[in-house]
Amino acid sequence: MPKIQRLPFQNFTLRVVKSRAAASLHTLINPNSGSTEASLNSNQEQVSSSGSVSDSLLVEKILLNLKQGNVNSLRSYQFRLNSVIIVEVLYRLRDNLQVGQRFIDFIALNFPNVKHSSMSLSAMIHFLVRGRRISDAQALILRMVRKSGVSRLEIVDSFVSTYSPCGSNSLIFDLVIRTYVQARKLREGSEVFRLLRNKGICFSINACNSLLGGLVKIGWVDLAREVYAEVVRSGIELNVYTLNIMVNALCKDHKIDSAKVFLCEMEQKGFYPDTVTYNTLINAYCREGFLEEAFQLMNSMSGKGLKPGVFTYNSLINGLCKKGRCDRAKEVLDEMLQMGLSPDTATYNTLLVESCRKENMSEAEEIFCEMSRRGVAPDIVSFSTLIGIFSRNGQLDRALMYFREMKSAGLVPDNVLYTIIINGYCRNGFVLEALKMRDEMLEKGCVMDVVTYNTILNGLCRAKMLTEADDLFNEMLERGVFPDFYTFTTLIHGHCKDGNMNKALNLFDIMTQKSIKPDIVTYNTLIDGFCKVGEMEKANKLWADMISRKISPNYISYGILINGYCSMGHVTEAFRLWYEMVGKGIKPTLVSCNTIIKGYCRSGDASKADEFLSKMVSEGVDPDSISYNTLINGFVREENMDKAFALVSKMENQGLVPDVITYNVILTGFCRQGRMHDSELILRRMIEKGLNPDRSTYTTLINGHVSQNNLKEAFRFHDEMLQRGFVPDDAF
């Protein structure tokens, strides 16, 4: 007899499901569902009665050739073979499993293009399952599952209808559910489970657990609970794996109290929690921040004859670190060691990540070293975390040292780690080295994602390498990497700082065309750019566009526009904006207030600047030295020295200490008016206050005396200036 071949049904590499002893038909069907044999037979397709006489003769010829071993003669029937004939032949071979499988193999090898129906595929699957050819059976089930236009009801009906005529066993229905789970078609698998249950089909608890576990793993907890309810109704005997899956489901759904109630119910049914159950609950408590409850639960394990393991302690350490209780987490690590447990990479990584989150480099390095001392091999996460903290804090040499150590340990850097190193180079201004690292990254087969591109773009923009940044942006588009919000914002900011507002605005237009919504930062950047180049009309258009998009300007927005108007000498408009900002409940900043003071003073209206100083105080903004120095300078330029000098006293009364700039401004005013005696009084007062004259002080005094033809005093200050180490301007 020829040897049965394995089928080339599909190019799937499926894990072979362990064969289980076939249960008898009465264990497959729920005893409460009525006569199951009758139920299955009532759905059976009557192929023989519907086929034509010629088809019946063909079936007989095929059967005769198969029984005589003349398999090759079946090739002459290639154009007459169809799904109905295949089903009828297999029905007739019910009691001859070997011949049936030979027929299936022949079809697969010689008639790969035959058009199968759900019925023919189901019949073939039944034979393969009977022959314990689980991998081949799963390949055909997947073919059914993925066949377009076939409903789950049709699939279920075909399996049930062909069950008895093919002499199948209960393993088939377990395999169907398992295949849906392995194919990650969990919703469809749940529907098939429900349809089969409606037809009275029962499953093993292992198949049910497979479906429940799959649903919980991807977070479909509600659907898992529905399936569980059906499992309970069907009377299938549960086990501890079912218990653990459902406890995990409830914990994922943040229903820890419900999980505890469920445990009590299961204990009444004779199912008791194991270490996995406790670990699941402890981990859930830690995730929710209920650390005391987690510790109490761990302490109760010994009373149940259970011991906490590495996973238990890792959950507690992780929970403590998330709460910022790193010292207590280290104590738990010590307890773990005292218990004779060996911490793993995950244990140390949790502590390492927390240290790096606090930017504690010495602690992070200490944890990493302890990890190595205890023989725990660091993984890619360990190295990435440590390299990241050194890179962020400007210690690029140490970051690169650990990067080399990681490669020496045989670990392969991924695109995340390369991006960390690239970012370190960019932050330290080494853009060319960052580009070299990018080249290495590509040579090693890593793919640059949008984060990597954004990192390099930011480095290029900070280095004012805008042409290279534009080239990289174009490369990004050519490679099919979609730019995101940060891509556009980075480039817009770079071109604005470079004064290329047309390019910045063009990028803004592309950004909006791609349905990427700009935010307040984007608008502030563009408005600031246009203000700095004096294009207030375009700045106002952007302001209006921002408002139309329901983006409310913030104090930075107002400050930018106020500064723009003041720089152009439009102080009235700047003051209007200041009032609008205050009216909207946005507290003005000291910077925006100082901007208006500067604007008034530049326009030659120091009195209004003085009035505004009172307004800003009434709005709760206290002036600083810059406010007073600007105002004093304004009055000095208007030659109102009395008012300027009075402001110095006012400044001191408010607890502000006049600095060298303050005194130099007053001194300059007196010198311009030729009041050299007053200027020297200011100099003495300045020295009495503990302030040392600077180069500007001496230059002003020298020029003042020269303008009064008092060369003797001019040379005296010239010599004093030299003695103090200042280089004079001898142009006088």
Side-chain angles (χ1 to χ4, degrees), residues 531-629:
C531 285
K532 281 178 178 173
V533 296
E535 295 193 43
M536 297 306 295
E537 187 177 344
K538 287 184 178 178
N540 278 314
K541 281 183 180 178
L542 281 163
W543 183 279
D545 185 57
M546 177 175 73
I547 301 296
S548 70
R549 290 178 184 270
K550 309 294 184 190
I551 299 173
S552 299
N554 58 15
Y555 71 94
I556 297 172
S557 318
Y558 278 104
I560 289 167
L561 210 54
I562 287 168
N563 187 56
Y565 278 120
C566 286
S567 298
M568 297 295 291
H570 302 155
V571 189
T572 304
E573 188 61 24
F575 191 55
R576 182 194 65 77
L577 276 170
W578 189 84
Y579 259 120
E580 181 184 306
M581 174 175 67
V582 173
K584 288 185 175 180
I586 300 172
K587 185 178 179 179
T589 64
L590 182 58
V591 173
S592 63
C593 291
N594 285 346
T595 301
I596 292 180
I597 291 171
K598 182 177 68 176
Y600 277 126
C601 290
R602 276 184 177 178
S603 64
D605 203 342
S607 295
K608 283 194 175 179
D610 194 23
E611 289 175 15
F612 181 77
L613 187 76
S614 300
K615 289 185 188 298
M616 67 183 271
V617 172
S618 67
E619 291 295 334
V621 182
D622 293 324
D624 63 356
S625 297
I626 295 171
S627 316
Y628 279 102
N629 286 347

Side-chain angles (χ1 to χ4, degrees), residues 247-248 250-256 259 277-291 294 297 311 315:
V247 167
N248 188 30
L250 291 165
C251 289
K252 273 195 168 186
D253 207 22
H254 309 286
K255 296 178 178 176
I256 303 177
T277 322
Y278 275 94
N279 284 345
T280 304
L281 282 168
I282 289 167
N283 191 43
Y285 274 128
C286 290
R287 282 201 315 266
E288 298 293 329
F290 302 135
L291 296 175
L297 197 59
F311 184 88
S315 296

Side-chain angles (χ1 to χ4, degrees), residues 378-404:
D379 62 6
I380 194 81
V381 175
S382 319
F383 279 106
S384 297
T385 306
L386 200 60
I387 290 167
I389 190 173
F390 285 118
S391 178
R392 285 193 306 275
N393 287 276
Q395 295 197 23
L396 195 56
D397 289 343
R398 293 197 71 75
L400 291 169
M401 181 192 76
Y402 282 110
F403 183 66
R404 289 189 292 270

